[in-house]
Amino acid sequence: MRFIKPAWITHKDTAKSDQDTKRQSIFSIHVHPDGSRIATGGLDAKVRIWSTKPILNGASENSGRPPKSLCTLSMHTGPVLTVRWAHSGRWLASGSDDEIIMIWDLDPSGRGKVFGSNEVNVEAWKPMKRLPGHESDVTDIAWAPEDRYLASVGLDSKVIVWCGYTFKRIRKLDQHNGFVKGVCFDPVGEFMATQSDDKSVKIWRTTDWELEAEIRKPFEDSPGSTFFRRLSWSPDGAHITASNATNNGGFVFIAAVITRGLWTSEISLVGHENTVEVAAYNPHIFLRNSSGSLVTSNICSVVALGADDRSISIWQTKSARPLIVAREVFERQIMDLSWSRDGLTLYAASSDGTIAVFDFDPEELDGIAPFSAQQQYLQKFGFVPPPVPDGYSHGTFYGDDNIPSSRITPPPSPQSRTMEQLQSQTEFGSDAANGGGEQINRLVAKKSNKKRVKPLLISNIPSASTSDKIPNGVATQAPLSVVNQPPSSANGTGPTFARPESRYSIPKSRHPSHSTSPAPSMRGFDADVEMGGPKEMDVPIDTIDASSSPGTTRGKRKASALEGDDRPTRPRTLGGDRLRDVVAVREIVSRRHEKWHDLLPVPPVLTFLSARVDGSEDVLEGRNSEGDSPSEVSFVSGKQTQWLDYVQFPIIALTVSPAFCAVATRDGSVNVYSHTGRRIMPTITLDAPCSMIHSCKTSLLLLTITGQLSSINVKSQSAYFPSPFIGSLLQAPDSKVLAASVRHNGAPVLQISSGVAYTYDAQLLQWAKLSDGWWSGGSDVWQGRQRTTKDVIASIESAITANADDKAVNKERPEWWNAALTLGHLESKLHAAKALDCPSEYKQGLLQYAKKLADEGFRAKAEELIKDLFGPIYWNPLRKEEIWSPTVVGLTKRDLLREVLSVFARSKTLTKLALDWQDTLRKASNEEQP
């Protein structure tokens, strides 16, 4: 293996003079699928594309063929934090501090000097799409398999999914509660994973973009100071390696390996002295036994880790120790890692403004399998991706072993062009075409017959000229030690590569060590090392009007460029002319010390609170002043304030539904607004401040710190029932309310730490159990271990399981234990579905109940159920003494009975009972018909 550190790859500080050129941080690096070029993004707000041949071939570097720097892209107005090539190689996506994602396409006629610089673009990449949507820095982006989707994450805590064909926004996911700093796709195409500063990894289904699972345990004590949390999915689809995890209460820095399906992390990659910033899997699967068959037991993967301790480790999953550990590779932390498509070269980028390259020989990575083996293996998952939209195709993908690596897929065009024409445009391949010995990779593009209007850059970022006279640094190419081999170099310089058998030393301070130390091992150690966070960057941003036609002046600002009668008119609203601003969220120490008999905690007074309307861009926001200014309520759509209001006391909680907004203040008042800002109810005055507030459609739930609960129908401006007291639900020691919500019918749902969920029955005027962790001890239909679902009762059971103590109790149970608990659980579930008005869950539970009765052969229970659903044979709805209702949760009982009888008819013990009642039901139906 060779270690190379090309000094000529740099992002320059153009604000300095030629003699004082300073390296700027490189935040991202990615290799093109054909391996011929890399893209880097840096603090200079530029994307730069470089040839890889001069990096890997000394003769090519000295000859200058092909050119080292291929292109500089300068449309971003803020530092470029992430760059990613599409799997097809056709497009390059970049995300920036300017909140924008750019999609770049090859431009065959755009060569020439970089504007405001002496640099020359040997090839040109034009901005094809500009994707606004994030409200803060875009920290990471990822392409789905076959480029079906493009996902982006940012410091606005949002995940946005774009169509990989049309680049239209498909979904915005906002379940994260902190900065989102990493995203990756499952190679199968079934899932997407995101990692956030809220100390969680979330798994999303690509079929409906709903949450599949959430992993928190390895990240509970992870520091929040890392620049990125870049995670990676293994090429066999079996594992995710997530960065910024810890063990032993935060004292051991690890990368957590999450298992697919179970979504648990039982494996840790231990040894780095500081936080792991990025993980990157080799794109190939590896065979443990090269002569063995393609089965799960014979497959392993290779993953690289980059950390804030300036070291890189490379692991193979079949070994408990790393293959390679490289210490002191950079002067500062590692920001990004990228493997070449052939799996033999690893590129790393650092915030010190340099990159490093690890070039392996095939025999050093033993057992590497072709992509055809990976494709064959992934078929076992049985996932069928959605069809490609009509008229769209990305062409050839580099996962195909039969595709040559000498070119990328050309974009579609009505015209054809010869290779000679393309060579004359790119100045590539002239030696080869004339019989020279050098074979280089070519970027092939077809020119459209449409007139091209070259976009102009309007930016307030200074763009001073850069020097061509800066001497090229000599790349350090030295043999690098592999496991158990001593390090060596050609000139005695460069980083130290330590033996992986050695242990880490224990640092005595909380600051990262800059001295050479032994390499990581799988053994634990005691350390408490925290990296300082990156400096905040205050980059002014101009909003460019991207919708200008070719005949208009380019680069006009949307607001200031419109004058007089040309300015569009919009309806006047209270505060509607004010743009949305960003407020730092922190707790305000309250000056008031009211005394209540507190049963529940008082929410803290924060400088900023917000709640989003489900399925829309509308947000209700609350701002509390740290001085004597009044608190402000505002309703925001996108970045524009629709209306605002002021309240006398600090805001402690708020909620919003598609029908109304509600704001609770510290004095116990609640204001209810329409979406236009009109107060649609009188100000509600409670006996104490709200501890919890929730809304659903037209229902509003208020729970005070003294334990009084109110459920209000905002539309009719009435209470569903008299306010009950929840004190009786908290009799168990140390019990507390974990969550409080309300259903559309006004039924409250309280989840208690004792493992019980309650609702208030408006007919009985009593509290009733919805579910109990007791059933999980023996019920065959307990859903607590199933994946996240939209079903309300299943979600409640899942929450009970998540909050329960994982203590396996192996007790001897009575003979009928499972049957009794399963039937009791199902009967309780039917009552819960009725209370919460959940028709689908009621029907599902009823059929499960019928099947259990049939399996056990309980004829008496089955007959009683049939009679309850059938009702009186000669039922007359006009007779007041009849108490039987023909429907339940909106479903017709006799229609449900037909399906129940079908279940009974298939059993061995209840067949005759079912046939008799089916005949009776048929006769009753015929008599009811006119």
Side-chain angles (χ1 to χ4, degrees), residues 372-394:
S372 57
Q374 180 194 20
Q375 293 170 353
Q376 177 185 346
Y377 181 77
L378 294 180
Q379 290 176 358
K380 76 165 192 171
F381 292 96
F383 179 74
V384 180
V388 176
D390 293 338
Y392 289 95
S393 175
H394 289 343

Side-chain angles (χ1 to χ4, degrees), residues 357-660:
V357 183
F358 301 84
D359 190 28
F360 293 85
D361 293 326
E363 56 270 16
E364 290 178 308
L365 294 179
D366 186 40
I368 190 167
F371 280 109
S372 57
Q374 180 194 20
Q375 293 170 353
Q376 177 185 346
Y377 181 77
L378 294 180
Q379 290 176 358
K380 76 165 192 171
F381 292 96
F383 179 74
V384 180
V388 176
D390 293 338
Y392 289 95
S393 175
H394 289 343
T396 304
F397 288 84
Y398 281 87
D400 191 342
D401 297 309
N402 299 321
I403 301 303
S405 61
S406 60
R407 62 180 181 86
I408 66 168
T409 306
S413 173
Q415 294 184 354
S416 62
R417 300 183 63 85
T418 64
M419 186 60 68
E420 289 77 13
Q421 288 174 310
L422 292 170
Q423 289 173 2
S424 66
Q425 287 181 357
T426 61
E427 297 182 0
F428 265 54
S430 58
D431 291 345
N434 296 328
E438 184 174 291
Q439 176 64 34
I440 52 88
N441 294 326
R442 298 181 179 88
L443 282 170
V444 181
K446 295 181 180 179
K447 189 175 180 181
S448 173
N449 56 3
K450 296 181 181 179
K451 182 179 179 182
R452 178 181 178 275
V453 180
K454 188 173 182 178
L456 300 177
L457 173 64
I458 303 297
S459 172
N460 51 8
I461 302 296
S463 181
S465 62
T466 55
S467 174
D468 293 332
K469 300 180 181 180
I470 299 174
N472 292 330
V474 178
T476 304
Q477 299 192 12
L480 189 64
S481 61
V482 192
V483 177
N484 297 332
Q485 295 182 1
S488 62
S489 64
N491 53 12
T493 61
T496 304
F497 300 94
R499 297 166 63 93
E501 287 80 11
S502 59
R503 299 188 184 182
Y504 264 94
S505 60
I506 302 174
K508 297 181 180 180
S509 69
R510 296 177 61 90
H511 300 284
S513 171
H514 294 281
S515 61
T516 304
S517 59
S521 72
M522 285 297 292
R523 303 183 184 183
F525 57 92
D526 293 325
D528 188 6
V529 184
E530 296 179 1
M531 285 291 290
K535 295 182 179 179
E536 295 183 357
M537 289 169 257
D538 186 11
V539 180
I541 300 170
D542 287 341
T543 303
I544 308 300
D545 187 358
S547 61
S548 302
S549 62
T552 61
T553 303
R554 290 293 198 162
K556 290 187 177 181
R557 298 188 183 185
K558 289 183 179 179
S560 61
L562 298 176
E563 299 177 359
D565 297 336
D566 294 332
R567 185 181 298 273
T569 59
R570 59 188 302 271
R572 178 175 170 80
T573 58
L574 184 62
D577 294 333
R578 190 183 69 176
L579 292 176
R580 185 182 187 185
D581 55 349
V582 179
V583 179
V585 181
R586 55 180 175 272
E587 185 174 350
I588 301 174
V589 179
S590 176
R591 299 177 182 176
R592 297 175 61 87
H593 300 281
E594 297 89 343
K595 293 184 178 180
W596 292 283
H597 299 290
D598 297 357
L599 187 66
L600 302 176
V602 182
V605 178
L606 304 176
T607 55
F608 179 78
L609 304 89
S610 67
R612 183 179 297 274
V613 181
D614 290 339
S616 78
E617 297 294 317
D618 298 336
V619 181
L620 178 66
E621 297 180 345
R623 290 174 170 82
N624 293 312
S625 171
E626 297 184 75
D628 297 329
S629 301
S631 298
E632 178 186 294
V633 182
S634 60
F635 191 77
V636 180
S637 182
K639 292 189 177 181
Q640 197 70 37
T641 302
Q642 301 300 314
W643 56 266
L644 58 82
D645 191 19
Y646 297 99
V647 291
Q648 182 179 359
F649 296 94
I651 301 168
I652 57 174
L654 46 78
T655 184
V656 61
S657 79
F660 66 91

